[in-house]
Amino acid sequence: QVQLVESGGGVVQPGTSLRLSCTASGFIFRTYAMYWVRQAPGKGLEWVAVISYDRTYEYYADSVEGRFIISRDNSKNRLYLQMNSLRPEDSGLYYCARDHWANCGGDCYSSPKYWGQGTLVTVSS
Amino acid sequence: DIQMTQSPSTLSASVGDRVTITCRASQPIDKWVAWFQQNPGKAPKLLLYRASTLDTGVPSRFSGSGSGTEFTLTISSLQPDDFATYYCQHYNTYSGTFGQGTKVE
């Protein structure tokens, strides 16, 4: 079965960096686009970033553009989120999610279907 | 950027009730809307995609409709497991804006 396990969260000070990881199993990782979605405590879901299955494109929410970098290693079945210049408003539970359909990109639109349980990031001085 | 405005933010209902949640897009988005259910402390679960297509294993009491700018999620007869928070999402290749959420209590 599809499993997504996030790691790397923690408590950090504003202005510092953190790298999240997501280890995938139970599917052919290299054929699915992957997402990061976050949720501040007691708040709603916020889409953060997407990377295509073949790494030909990445897109970011305006709130993280220029500070966060999404990447993947298809040989290790891993997704990453490098978070730089962290702000208190970046605090929350960060979910890794898998695309609904394989080999989807460009004109093929797809929503996240499988989600991990999240890793908690707290940015505080 | 496309905004998704979801209403109501909170909905009080009883088991057996018919429940409707609305999501409005700030510009036409064809049918590129998904609906998710989230229980406290759990990851979101995909219910519907392409506005009205039920995901595998989702009970048929859930349905979705709409296109363009207005979308609805309907639960035909609310069950105890359905008390949760629901989110709409507009998705395409380069973004995935969520609505603010509707808590069904």
Side-chain angles (χ1 to χ4, degrees), chain B residues 33-101:
Chain B
V33 168
W35 289 95
F36 295 87
Q37 177 193 62
Q38 188 179 33
N39 286 295
K42 300 292 187 182
K45 174 188 174 182
L46 178 66
L47 297 175
L48 297 107
Y49 58 95
R50 199 78 171 96
S52 59
T53 303
L54 214 58
D55 195 27
T56 305
V58 175
S60 58
R61 62 180 180 274
F62 292 92
S63 64
S65 65
S67 68
T69 60
E70 187 147 341
F71 302 87
T72 59
L73 170 70
T74 300
I75 309 172
S76 60
S77 177
L78 198 66
Q79 298 302 302
D81 285 348
D82 302 338
F83 290 94
T85 300
Y86 294 85
Y87 295 91
C88 63
Q89 185 206 22
H90 163 54
Y91 60 93
N92 55 29
T93 299
Y94 51 85
S95 69
T97 310
F98 288 93
Q100 303 94 318

Side-chain angles (χ1 to χ4, degrees), chain A residues 39 47 62 100 106 109 113 116, chain B residues 1 38 43 49 55 93-94 96:
Chain A
Q39 187 167 34
W47 182 93
D62 289 346
H100 196 168
Y109 296 169
K113 175 171 167 68
Chain B
D1 287 358
Q38 188 179 33
Y49 58 95
D55 195 27
T93 299
Y94 51 85

Side-chain angles (χ1 to χ4, degrees), chain A:
Chain A
Q1 71 280 20
V2 173
Q3 278 202 310
L4 300 167
V5 180
E6 302 92 337
S7 60
V11 180
V12 296
Q13 293 196 333
T16 61
S17 299
L18 200 60
R19 189 196 199 202
L20 306 183
S21 297
C22 170
T23 301
S25 61
F27 65 99
I28 304 173
F29 181 72
R30 67 178 184 276
T31 63
Y32 289 87
M34 297 294 295
Y35 305 85
W36 288 102
V37 176
R38 69 185 180 185
Q39 187 167 34
K43 302 296 184 183
L45 301 171
E46 181 185 13
W47 182 93
V48 173
V50 62
I51 185 167
S52 64
Y53 64 93
D54 56 4
R55 296 178 296 175
T56 54
Y57 62 77
E58 306 133 33
Y59 295 107
Y60 300 89
D62 289 346
S63 57
V64 306
E65 179 84 58
R67 299 188 299 123
F68 289 12
I69 299 171
I70 187 171
S71 62
R72 65 191 295 160
D73 186 336
N74 286 345
S75 68
K76 295 182 178 178
N77 287 2
R78 282 199 178 161
L79 175 72
Y80 303 102
L81 186 67
Q82 177 67 43
M83 304 187 295
N84 301 320
S85 303
L86 282 162
R87 305 167 180 169
E89 56 265 34
D90 294 319
S91 296
L93 192 62
Y94 282 71
Y95 292 104
C96 155
R98 194 205 83 175
D99 212 8
H100 196 168
W101 307 113
N103 302 310
C104 197
D107 291 339
C108 169
Y109 296 169
S110 180
S111 62
K113 175 171 167 68
Y114 294 98
W115 299 63
Q117 289 306 304
T119 186
L120 186 62
V121 173
T122 303
V123 184
S124 173
S125 55

